[in-house]
Amino acid sequence: MEHTAVVAQMRQLIQLLAQHNHAYYVMDQPMIADSEYDQLFHQLKALEQQYPELIQSDSPTDKVGGAPLSKFENITHTVPMLSLGNVFNQEDLFAFARRIEERLPNQKIQYDVELKFDGLAISLWYENGILIRGVTRGDGETGELITQNVKTIRNLPKVLSSDQVLVPQLLEVRGEVLIPKAGFEKLNADNEAKGEKIFANPRNAAAGSLRQLDPNVAASRPLAFYAYGIAQCEPDNGLTSMSESLEWLNNFGFAVGERHFVCDSIQEVQEKYEKINQERPHLSVEIDGMVVKVDDLKQQQQLGFLSREPRWATAYKFPAVAALTTVENIDWQVGRTGTLTPVARLNPVAVGGVTVSNVTLHNIGEIHRLDVRVGDTVSVYRSGDVIPKVEKVWPEFRPVDTVVVHLPENCPVCSSPVVMPEGEALARCSGGLYCAAQRIEAIRHFVSRKALDIEGLGDRWVESLLHLNLLKDVADIYHLHEHREELLGIEKMGEKSVQNLLDAIENSKKTTLASFIYALGIRGVGETTARMLANTFQTLDALRNADIEALKKTPDVGEITAEWVIDFFKAPHNLEVVERLLAAGIHWDAPVASTRQPLNGESWVITGTLSQMGRDDATQMLQALGARVSGSVSSKTKCVVAGEKAGSKLEKAEKLGIQVMNEVEFLALMAEYGQGLNEV
Ligand code: IVH
């Protein structure tokens, strides 16, 4: 393969993996099965093995997982929290054992076999027997400090005492936090009754609970901790094996799982695996396999690590399981950003020990690919921690009167039109400003700095206001002053904070057309596009009435964004909200930028250091005149603005014979077009 093609493929894989990592680790909403993730990962690894000279610096193959969230304090692990290799069958397991035997010839090897808990890895620090901190794995190097939440875990000893052994000065215990099956079912049943979020699986529920900033939430969830290792112990506890370590931990009150064994041979490990796989539905916790570890700690040390995984341990995963059931209904759920996701309501069925009654069908394309209909018999598939999915429809069992599923025309939450521009996979509710499902995101966006910039209206306020039913849509923000008494009644909101909030709201009424357009949260319309639209159309009315052709002439606006703009202003509820916002007194001066766009459609590149302005300023000036500012030089580039220390882009421009300007020339040209520095 040509090198450029290899790099392109690597880039694509890295981007996909990053997206899925984010969905899995940060959002707790996996979009694909783990096995599919593994496939992508291995594809990237294989490419890297073949072309080591092309390994990209941001490749995830030398990291463990996703980036930590920013809202908790970040902590660097003294001993990194690494990952495990996987085996899926007897052959791989025996190969794992052979590799160990080859490294430790003529030594007797015993294996410690444990449950592979399907939760979240955490690290716990005890100083002189007192739990002082709990940290998530994060990306393996750095995790989040979640001590408050960890302290709410009921089966976890907060103080270590033992009448048999000495309490160490420092102990770092590693293990997994999860929600046992019974607790998970109860949690979902309670949430369903309250109309709250239903979790896809115990892992997501546990992850979501640990990441709550308010420890009361974690406390209300039936979390449990299972220990599986000791990262540090001072003074040394003198233990020589993994199995002894588990007993030692258990002695201090740590749960270590319902089953663990010491096996004298790898054949015995295989037998235990088969046994546990059978017992899996009867275990109290969700597991996705077993962990096989060399029992002797000295041998573990001799074996060491290969890149980010121990040579002395592996995860022996269970095979996927499937079950047949029928589709009772197909509902459409509206997400916080307006995406419509079809969910199949199933006749509840046990799959691998977990009852599955809802399964996502992802999008209308997937529904059509499967041709799944209400009444159909389907195979539901699940492997370990994977969210269940419909794998196959059985047409031979289809009742006679089924109908093909279509995308709903109106949002099931707010009845605004549902839209899906050509080439997009996801349908959306177009009532972004009004739809109750999108309310929180719409408000957050509306008040953000580059939008209406109402700094005081943070998440805590928003939560309380939603609770009091004072914020049904963003226009209600400008009526909050009519509810001063209720605002004062909110816990911890004194006279001063209420007044500050109302002042900030009042001050936000004077804005710019560009900020207002941006604040509407129209899909595809970021800050720059909003500015372009403001410059091009000059008034909100003109924008509202623009047709697709006129919109497409705006720099930065392509076919799809143009369609989103049209759809936004077609949704009657959005218009109502816009009217109410204007009626409340939001106003702006006419845009100052010239209506002429002499550089319309031209592509410009800025390179090197400019002395009189930042690159952002230069970019804004160019954009105001209709130019696009690109990061790379090509034959399509109209002109390159070269500051001090311009490098390869300048060289390339010269090679291609493209016009180059220095800063002084650039400023002169801008002044000619009425774009002075202070007008930006
Ligand atoms: S030992 C060097 N034991 O599986 C890593 N891990 O896929 C040693 N896990 O990050 C880990 N149950 O979160 C170990 N009994 C067990 C486990 C276990 C679940 C998790 C752990 C780890 C992941 C690796």
Side-chain angles (χ1 to χ4, degrees), residues 308-327:
R308 316 286 296 164
E309 292 164 4
R311 285 201 189 86
W312 45 266
T314 192
Y316 193 177
K317 292 281 191 81
F318 290 132
V321 273
L324 285 193
T325 186
T326 48
V327 177

PDB file of all heavy atoms in Angstrom, residues 308-327:
ATOM      1  N   ARG A 308       1.742  -2.247  27.364  1.00  0.00           N
ATOM      2  CA  ARG A 308       0.882  -1.808  28.465  1.00  0.00           C
ATOM      3  C   ARG A 308       0.151  -2.959  29.150  1.00  0.00           C
ATOM      4  O   ARG A 308      -0.806  -2.740  29.855  1.00  0.00           O
ATOM      5  CB  ARG A 308      -0.161  -0.795  27.954  1.00  0.00           C
ATOM      6  CG  ARG A 308       0.380   0.256  27.034  1.00  0.00           C
ATOM      7  CD  ARG A 308       1.178   1.289  27.762  1.00  0.00           C
ATOM      8  NE  ARG A 308       0.374   2.044  28.713  1.00  0.00           N
ATOM      9  CZ  ARG A 308       0.914   2.788  29.676  1.00  0.00           C
ATOM     10  NH1 ARG A 308       2.215   2.842  29.820  1.00  0.00           N
ATOM     11  NH2 ARG A 308       0.134   3.468  30.484  1.00  0.00           N
ATOM     12  N   GLU A 309       0.572  -4.183  28.882  1.00  0.00           N
ATOM     13  CA  GLU A 309      -0.170  -5.319  29.453  1.00  0.00           C
ATOM     14  C   GLU A 309       0.766  -6.272  30.182  1.00  0.00           C
ATOM     15  O   GLU A 309       1.880  -6.514  29.711  1.00  0.00           O
ATOM     16  CB  GLU A 309      -0.880  -6.075  28.318  1.00  0.00           C
ATOM     17  CG  GLU A 309      -1.986  -5.267  27.690  1.00  0.00           C
ATOM     18  CD  GLU A 309      -2.441  -5.825  26.346  1.00  0.00           C
ATOM     19  OE1 GLU A 309      -1.946  -6.895  25.946  1.00  0.00           O
ATOM     20  OE2 GLU A 309      -3.286  -5.165  25.723  1.00  0.00           O
ATOM     21  N   PRO A 310       0.303  -6.843  31.303  1.00  0.00           N
ATOM     22  CA  PRO A 310       1.174  -7.794  31.994  1.00  0.00           C
ATOM     23  C   PRO A 310       1.300  -9.099  31.193  1.00  0.00           C
ATOM     24  O   PRO A 310       0.321  -9.532  30.571  1.00  0.00           O
ATOM     25  CB  PRO A 310       0.439  -8.048  33.312  1.00  0.00           C
ATOM     26  CG  PRO A 310      -0.976  -7.670  33.068  1.00  0.00           C
ATOM     27  CD  PRO A 310      -0.982  -6.654  31.974  1.00  0.00           C
ATOM     28  N   ARG A 311       2.488  -9.695  31.215  1.00  0.00           N
ATOM     29  CA  ARG A 311       2.635 -11.020  30.580  1.00  0.00           C
ATOM     30  C   ARG A 311       2.061 -12.096  31.493  1.00  0.00           C
ATOM     31  O   ARG A 311       1.801 -13.202  31.059  1.00  0.00           O
ATOM     32  CB  ARG A 311       4.118 -11.335  30.356  1.00  0.00           C
ATOM     33  CG  ARG A 311       4.736 -10.593  29.211  1.00  0.00           C
ATOM     34  CD  ARG A 311       5.998 -11.340  28.758  1.00  0.00           C
ATOM     35  NE  ARG A 311       6.736 -10.559  27.800  1.00  0.00           N
ATOM     36  CZ  ARG A 311       7.628  -9.630  28.134  1.00  0.00           C
ATOM     37  NH1 ARG A 311       7.907  -9.396  29.397  1.00  0.00           N
ATOM     38  NH2 ARG A 311       8.253  -8.960  27.201  1.00  0.00           N
ATOM     39  N   TRP A 312       1.879 -11.739  32.786  1.00  0.00           N
ATOM     40  CA  TRP A 312       1.488 -12.748  33.765  1.00  0.00           C
ATOM     41  C   TRP A 312      -0.029 -12.865  33.946  1.00  0.00           C
ATOM     42  O   TRP A 312      -0.499 -13.608  34.799  1.00  0.00           O
ATOM     43  CB  TRP A 312       2.149 -12.468  35.116  1.00  0.00           C
ATOM     44  CG  TRP A 312       2.084 -11.020  35.555  1.00  0.00           C
ATOM     45  CD1 TRP A 312       3.039 -10.077  35.353  1.00  0.00           C
ATOM     46  CD2 TRP A 312       1.007 -10.361  36.230  1.00  0.00           C
ATOM     47  NE1 TRP A 312       2.630  -8.869  35.858  1.00  0.00           N
ATOM     48  CE2 TRP A 312       1.392  -9.007  36.415  1.00  0.00           C
ATOM     49  CE3 TRP A 312      -0.249 -10.771  36.714  1.00  0.00           C
ATOM     50  CZ2 TRP A 312       0.573  -8.078  37.038  1.00  0.00           C
ATOM     51  CZ3 TRP A 312      -1.057  -9.831  37.338  1.00  0.00           C
ATOM     52  CH2 TRP A 312      -0.649  -8.507  37.487  1.00  0.00           C
ATOM     53  N   ALA A 313      -0.802 -12.119  33.184  1.00  0.00           N
ATOM     54  CA  ALA A 313      -2.265 -12.203  33.338  1.00  0.00           C
ATOM     55  C   ALA A 313      -2.948 -11.967  32.005  1.00  0.00           C
ATOM     56  O   ALA A 313      -2.394 -11.305  31.120  1.00  0.00           O
ATOM     57  CB  ALA A 313      -2.750 -11.162  34.345  1.00  0.00           C
ATOM     58  N   THR A 314      -4.125 -12.530  31.902  1.00  0.00           N
ATOM     59  CA  THR A 314      -4.930 -12.248  30.711  1.00  0.00           C
ATOM     60  C   THR A 314      -6.405 -12.348  31.074  1.00  0.00           C
ATOM     61  O   THR A 314      -6.763 -12.967  32.080  1.00  0.00           O
ATOM     62  CB  THR A 314      -4.587 -13.216  29.558  1.00  0.00           C
ATOM     63  OG1 THR A 314      -5.174 -12.721  28.358  1.00  0.00           O
ATOM     64  CG2 THR A 314      -5.109 -14.626  29.808  1.00  0.00           C
ATOM     65  N   ALA A 315      -7.239 -11.705  30.250  1.00  0.00           N
ATOM     66  CA  ALA A 315      -8.688 -11.836  30.443  1.00  0.00           C
ATOM     67  C   ALA A 315      -9.172 -12.927  29.496  1.00  0.00           C
ATOM     68  O   ALA A 315      -8.848 -12.907  28.316  1.00  0.00           O
ATOM     69  CB  ALA A 315      -9.359 -10.511  30.111  1.00  0.00           C
ATOM     70  N   TYR A 316      -9.895 -13.884  30.051  1.00  0.00           N
ATOM     71  CA  TYR A 316     -10.458 -14.963  29.233  1.00  0.00           C
ATOM     72  C   TYR A 316     -11.952 -14.637  29.089  1.00  0.00           C
ATOM     73  O   TYR A 316     -12.731 -14.854  30.024  1.00  0.00           O
ATOM     74  CB  TYR A 316     -10.224 -16.297  29.952  1.00  0.00           C
ATOM     75  CG  TYR A 316     -10.462 -17.539  29.114  1.00  0.00           C
ATOM     76  CD1 TYR A 316     -10.210 -18.809  29.649  1.00  0.00           C
ATOM     77  CD2 TYR A 316     -10.923 -17.465  27.806  1.00  0.00           C
ATOM     78  CE1 TYR A 316     -10.406 -19.959  28.909  1.00  0.00           C
ATOM     79  CE2 TYR A 316     -11.117 -18.613  27.056  1.00  0.00           C
ATOM     80  CZ  TYR A 316     -10.857 -19.856  27.611  1.00  0.00           C
ATOM     81  OH  TYR A 316     -11.069 -20.985  26.873  1.00  0.00           O
ATOM     82  N   LYS A 317     -12.302 -14.089  27.936  1.00  0.00           N
ATOM     83  CA  LYS A 317     -13.660 -13.557  27.757  1.00  0.00           C
ATOM     84  C   LYS A 317     -14.667 -14.665  27.447  1.00  0.00           C
ATOM     85  O   LYS A 317     -14.330 -15.654  26.811  1.00  0.00           O
ATOM     86  CB  LYS A 317     -13.663 -12.547  26.596  1.00  0.00           C
ATOM     87  CG  LYS A 317     -12.890 -11.265  26.854  1.00  0.00           C
ATOM     88  CD  LYS A 317     -13.708 -10.306  27.699  1.00  0.00           C
ATOM     89  CE  LYS A 317     -13.115  -8.922  27.769  1.00  0.00           C
ATOM     90  NZ  LYS A 317     -13.386  -8.076  26.630  1.00  0.00           N
ATOM     91  N   PHE A 318     -15.890 -14.441  27.844  1.00  0.00           N
ATOM     92  CA  PHE A 318     -16.950 -15.390  27.508  1.00  0.00           C
ATOM     93  C   PHE A 318     -17.482 -15.120  26.111  1.00  0.00           C
ATOM     94  O   PHE A 318     -17.453 -13.976  25.658  1.00  0.00           O
ATOM     95  CB  PHE A 318     -18.109 -15.257  28.498  1.00  0.00           C
ATOM     96  CG  PHE A 318     -17.772 -15.743  29.864  1.00  0.00           C
ATOM     97  CD1 PHE A 318     -18.068 -14.979  30.972  1.00  0.00           C
ATOM     98  CD2 PHE A 318     -17.150 -16.971  30.039  1.00  0.00           C
ATOM     99  CE1 PHE A 318     -17.751 -15.425  32.245  1.00  0.00           C
ATOM    100  CE2 PHE A 318     -16.827 -17.418  31.306  1.00  0.00           C
ATOM    101  CZ  PHE A 318     -17.127 -16.643  32.409  1.00  0.00           C
ATOM    102  N   PRO A 319     -17.966 -16.182  25.455  1.00  0.00           N
ATOM    103  CA  PRO A 319     -18.519 -15.949  24.118  1.00  0.00           C
ATOM    104  C   PRO A 319     -19.817 -15.156  24.202  1.00  0.00           C
ATOM    105  O   PRO A 319     -20.462 -15.114  25.245  1.00  0.00           O
ATOM    106  CB  PRO A 319     -18.788 -17.354  23.584  1.00  0.00           C
ATOM    107  CG  PRO A 319     -18.884 -18.217  24.793  1.00  0.00           C
ATOM    108  CD  PRO A 319     -18.044 -17.585  25.861  1.00  0.00           C
ATOM    109  N   ALA A 320     -20.156 -14.558  23.083  1.00  0.00           N
ATOM    110  CA  ALA A 320     -21.402 -13.795  23.023  1.00  0.00           C
ATOM    111  C   ALA A 320     -22.587 -14.733  23.189  1.00  0.00           C
ATOM    112  O   ALA A 320     -22.500 -15.911  22.882  1.00  0.00           O
ATOM    113  CB  ALA A 320     -21.493 -13.096  21.688  1.00  0.00           C
ATOM    114  N   VAL A 321     -23.668 -14.181  23.671  1.00  0.00           N
ATOM    115  CA  VAL A 321     -24.874 -14.995  23.811  1.00  0.00           C
ATOM    116  C   VAL A 321     -26.039 -14.313  23.104  1.00  0.00           C
ATOM    117  O   VAL A 321     -26.095 -13.092  23.022  1.00  0.00           O
ATOM    118  CB  VAL A 321     -25.239 -15.220  25.296  1.00  0.00           C
ATOM    119  CG1 VAL A 321     -24.515 -16.424  25.837  1.00  0.00           C
ATOM    120  CG2 VAL A 321     -24.945 -13.994  26.110  1.00  0.00           C
ATOM    121  N   ALA A 322     -26.939 -15.132  22.606  1.00  0.00           N
ATOM    122  CA  ALA A 322     -28.077 -14.576  21.884  1.00  0.00           C
ATOM    123  C   ALA A 322     -29.356 -15.256  22.346  1.00  0.00           C
ATOM    124  O   ALA A 322     -29.321 -16.349  22.904  1.00  0.00           O
ATOM    125  CB  ALA A 322     -27.896 -14.779  20.392  1.00  0.00           C
ATOM    126  N   ALA A 323     -30.480 -14.592  22.144  1.00  0.00           N
ATOM    127  CA  ALA A 323     -31.763 -15.192  22.502  1.00  0.00           C
ATOM    128  C   ALA A 323     -32.826 -14.660  21.555  1.00  0.00           C
ATOM    129  O   ALA A 323     -32.669 -13.576  20.983  1.00  0.00           O
ATOM    130  CB  ALA A 323     -32.119 -14.837  23.938  1.00  0.00           C
ATOM    131  N   LEU A 324     -33.886 -15.431  21.391  1.00  0.00           N
ATOM    132  CA  LEU A 324     -34.988 -15.002  20.522  1.00  0.00           C
ATOM    133  C   LEU A 324     -36.070 -14.325  21.348  1.00  0.00           C
ATOM    134  O   LEU A 324     -36.380 -14.761  22.445  1.00  0.00           O
ATOM    135  CB  LEU A 324     -35.630 -16.215  19.846  1.00  0.00           C
ATOM    136  CG  LEU A 324     -34.902 -16.883  18.697  1.00  0.00           C
ATOM    137  CD1 LEU A 324     -35.860 -17.832  17.975  1.00  0.00           C
ATOM    138  CD2 LEU A 324     -34.354 -15.868  17.730  1.00  0.00           C
ATOM    139  N   THR A 325     -36.644 -13.282  20.778  1.00  0.00           N
ATOM    140  CA  THR A 325     -37.808 -12.669  21.428  1.00  0.00           C
ATOM    141  C   THR A 325     -38.602 -11.901  20.373  1.00  0.00           C
ATOM    142  O   THR A 325     -38.244 -11.942  19.188  1.00  0.00           O
ATOM    143  CB  THR A 325     -37.397 -11.756  22.601  1.00  0.00           C
ATOM    144  OG1 THR A 325     -38.582 -11.312  23.262  1.00  0.00           O
ATOM    145  CG2 THR A 325     -36.620 -10.545  22.132  1.00  0.00           C
ATOM    146  N   THR A 326     -39.665 -11.231  20.797  1.00  0.00           N
ATOM    147  CA  THR A 326     -40.457 -10.486  19.811  1.00  0.00           C
ATOM    148  C   THR A 326     -40.425  -8.988  20.107  1.00  0.00           C
ATOM    149  O   THR A 326     -40.257  -8.572  21.249  1.00  0.00           O
ATOM    150  CB  THR A 326     -41.939 -10.946  19.821  1.00  0.00           C
ATOM    151  OG1 THR A 326     -42.379 -10.967  21.170  1.00  0.00           O
ATOM    152  CG2 THR A 326     -42.096 -12.316  19.195  1.00  0.00           C
ATOM    153  N   VAL A 327     -40.619  -8.214  19.055  1.00  0.00           N
ATOM    154  CA  VAL A 327     -40.623  -6.753  19.183  1.00  0.00           C
ATOM    155  C   VAL A 327     -42.053  -6.316  19.484  1.00  0.00           C
ATOM    156  O   VAL A 327     -42.960  -6.550  18.688  1.00  0.00           O
ATOM    157  CB  VAL A 327     -40.139  -6.097  17.873  1.00  0.00           C
ATOM    158  CG1 VAL A 327     -40.211  -4.578  17.973  1.00  0.00           C
ATOM    159  CG2 VAL A 327     -38.737  -6.554  17.538  1.00  0.00           C
TER     160      VAL A 327
END
